[in-house]
Amino acid sequence: MLAGEAGISRKVKRVSVFDYPCNKEILNRNTLTSGDLFITCLEQFQVDKDGIYDYINALIMTDSSGLLVVTDEHIGIITKDIEKICNENDFPLILIKDDLPYAVIMDTVNQYIAIENLNVINTLKLDKIMYGSISNNEKMEILHSIKPNIAQYVRTIYVDGEFNSEIAELKAHTSYLNNVSDIFVRNNNYKVFILSADNSKKLKHHSDAAAAQIKEFVNNPRVGFSRIYTRRDIGKALEEGKCSLETAKTMNMDFQEYDPLSVMQLLVSVRDTQEAQDFYEAYVNAVKEKVSGENLREVLLTMETYVANSGDYKVTAKVMSQHENTIRYRVNKVKCALNMENDNIKFNETIAIAVKLRILMNKTL
């Protein structure tokens, strides 16, 4: 990076060679446009050294992505003033010291552009499978348009986390593009792996191996697995994988397999609703009616510890360094507040849901 590092995240839409003088006629013809990444060796400025100023300003004015300078043979043309202009406008100016053919550089950049475009297209296709009002046959057509040879059984893995490096990400894309039966799609929120095999046993082994590989090339991943389905149920597999990832992130777990009997997983899907908000507030307000303000937090914390230890009074007392009778008194106080003294099942159900909702909604005690 010679200058403009703050603009390194600019989007690149195409890569071009720009080894000719810059003038108003070129600008008027819209030769330059937003998202262009240019390559130059600066040879054209050997005679007209001041021309570099018009050149750089034109790229900045047209919102180009950046400029790659190949070899440092003429690097003296890049003055401190040019670096200052680039820094002030967050315009990336990058030196490639090796004397590489322009075609090699353009091919590499175009690979990234092609992958990015493919990810956008495939993300839209998966969204249509999940949320579109379409038939199973139409879902199959979309799935086969992504990967024609997808096998009979499928499983999705949703991953949150950054790749170890750009090279690791490029290798992953290349590997799955060349894979005849698996799919990899990345968007701004997560990475989706759709794995397939001829039978469920093979797919289980395959997904275990894929999960181990994910841990190697993604930093601190959070991973959600769907159950195994036939490919006609790809919509369910996608929904379950996404739900499992949200649960894993919420519970700060590395891996989470979809469990239809998981209460926490069920609550993840409703945590942002008004009903969930009302439930938790009603619970806290009811306790407030029976507990003094200075003791409220301690009582609510007791309920959390009680739930975390499966309603065991002795363990809860030990964890909180309190007498067991103190824990029983507080629990009974909350039972009374909720008007559930004679209904242990409803009481346990209510406080368990309330405690989980507090965690999901990230509320303080």
Side-chain angles (χ1 to χ4, degrees):
M1 288 297 305
L2 299 176
E5 187 169 358
I8 198 66
S9 61
R10 290 186 182 208
K11 292 289 184 183
V12 176
K13 297 177 183 177
R14 67 180 181 180
V15 57
S16 307
V17 176
F18 192 8
D19 275 348
Y20 49 81
C22 180
N23 55 52
K24 289 184 178 179
E25 184 183 347
I26 290 173
L27 295 179
N28 291 337
R29 292 205 308 262
N30 294 322
T31 302
L32 314 181
T33 188
S34 172
D36 280 348
L37 177 67
F38 288 101
I39 308 173
T40 182
C41 65
L42 301 174
E43 179 72 36
Q44 71 268 35
F45 301 113
Q46 278 295 91
V47 177
D48 180 19
K49 287 185 168 57
D50 289 338
I52 186 69
Y53 289 91
D54 291 335
Y55 180 73
I56 294 295
N57 283 321
L59 297 183
I60 291 170
M61 186 171 63
T62 53
D63 200 25
S64 296
S65 295
L67 179 64
L68 304 179
V69 179
V70 181
T71 82
D72 55 6
E73 184 179 356
H74 307 304
I75 200 65
I77 292 169
I78 303 296
T79 64
K80 293 294 182 184
D81 286 341
I82 292 296
E83 291 180 10
K84 182 181 178 183
I85 291 170
C86 292
N87 284 325
E88 287 175 349
N89 291 278
D90 297 337
F91 180 76
L93 187 59
I94 302 167
L95 172 64
I96 301 176
K97 290 187 177 181
D98 296 330
D99 189 6
L100 295 173
Y102 285 5
V104 171
I105 298 169
M106 294 175 75
D107 183 57
T108 303
V109 175
N110 283 328
Q111 283 187 56
Y112 279 100
I113 294 172
I115 286 171
E116 190 67 27
N117 290 339
L118 186 63
N119 272 314
V120 171
I121 292 168
N122 286 342
T123 295
L124 292 173
K125 288 181 177 180
L126 294 184
D127 285 347
K128 190 167 185 180
I129 290 174
M130 290 177 68
Y131 307 118
S133 299
I134 57 177
S135 67
N136 282 337
N137 286 338
E138 289 172 314
K139 290 179 181 179
M140 286 300 92
E141 288 177 7
I142 294 172
L143 185 63
H144 287 133
S145 73
I146 301 174
K147 189 72 68 170
N149 296 318
I150 197 101
Q152 178 65 25
Y153 290 87
V154 296
R155 186 179 208 181
T156 66
I157 304 178
Y158 276 64
V159 180
D160 178 65
E162 296 300 322
F163 280 97
N164 298 329
S165 67
E166 292 283 345
I167 298 299
E169 182 172 5
L170 189 60
K171 284 182 177 178
H173 277 290
T174 303
S175 173
Y176 279 87
L177 281 173
N178 295 330
N179 188 311
V180 297
S181 58
D182 295 336
I183 297 169
F184 170 50
V185 178
R186 172 187 53 76
N187 61 36
N188 293 331
N189 298 316
Y190 40 70
K191 300 155 186 64
V192 184
F193 297 83
I194 302 176
L195 309 180
S196 72
D198 293 329
N199 60 63
S200 56
K201 187 175 181 181
K202 281 184 181 179
L203 185 51
K204 176 66 169 64
H205 290 310
H206 181 29
S207 62
D208 289 345
Q213 190 181 38
I214 287 167
K215 291 183 71 175
E216 291 179 8
F217 61 73
V218 176
N219 289 321
N220 303 316
R222 293 282 185 265
V223 184
F225 293 83
S226 74
R227 291 176 289 180
I228 293 174
Y229 286 96
T230 61
R231 64 186 173 215
R232 292 191 68 81
D233 287 321
I234 181 61
K236 288 182 181 178
L238 289 167
E239 289 173 7
E240 287 188 4
K242 186 177 180 181
C243 180
S244 297
L245 173 60
E246 289 302 315
T247 306
K249 289 165 62 178
T250 301
M251 298 178 68
N252 200 27
M253 297 171 61
D254 292 340
F255 290 82
Q256 174 68 27
E257 187 172 341
Y258 187 86
D259 178 5
L261 291 177
S262 168
V263 175
M264 181 65 86
Q265 185 176 274
L266 177 65
L267 293 177
V268 164
S269 63
V270 300
R271 64 178 168 181
D272 297 324
T273 64
Q274 186 62 48
E275 289 81 2
Q277 182 79 26
D278 292 345
F279 185 99
Y280 182 72
E281 288 183 0
Y283 161 73
V284 173
N285 289 334
V287 177
K288 277 182 180 178
E289 292 291 325
K290 294 291 184 180
V291 177
S292 60
E294 62 269 20
N295 295 325
L296 178 61
R297 186 182 185 280
E298 194 69 18
V299 170
L300 292 175
L301 181 60
T302 300
M303 293 301 99
E304 301 232 345
T305 311
Y306 178 76
V307 169
N309 290 285
S310 304
D312 191 311
Y313 289 104
K314 289 184 178 179
V315 176
T316 302
K318 186 176 180 180
V319 169
M320 298 192 70
S321 300
Q322 297 283 348
H323 194 280
E324 184 181 336
N325 287 342
T326 302
I327 302 301
R328 290 182 180 275
Y329 172 78
R330 291 174 180 171
V331 170
N332 287 331
K333 194 84 170 174
V334 174
K335 277 185 180 180
C336 180
L338 297 174
N339 196 26
M340 297 177 185
E341 301 100 312
N342 301 316
D343 196 336
N344 282 329
I345 291 178
K346 187 176 181 181
F347 171 72
N348 289 331
E349 175 187 70
T350 301
I351 61 171
I353 290 174
V355 167
K356 289 177 171 63
L357 282 176
R358 188 196 69 79
I359 296 169
L360 290 172
M361 295 189 293
N362 198 28
K363 289 183 176 291
T364 56
L365 279 174

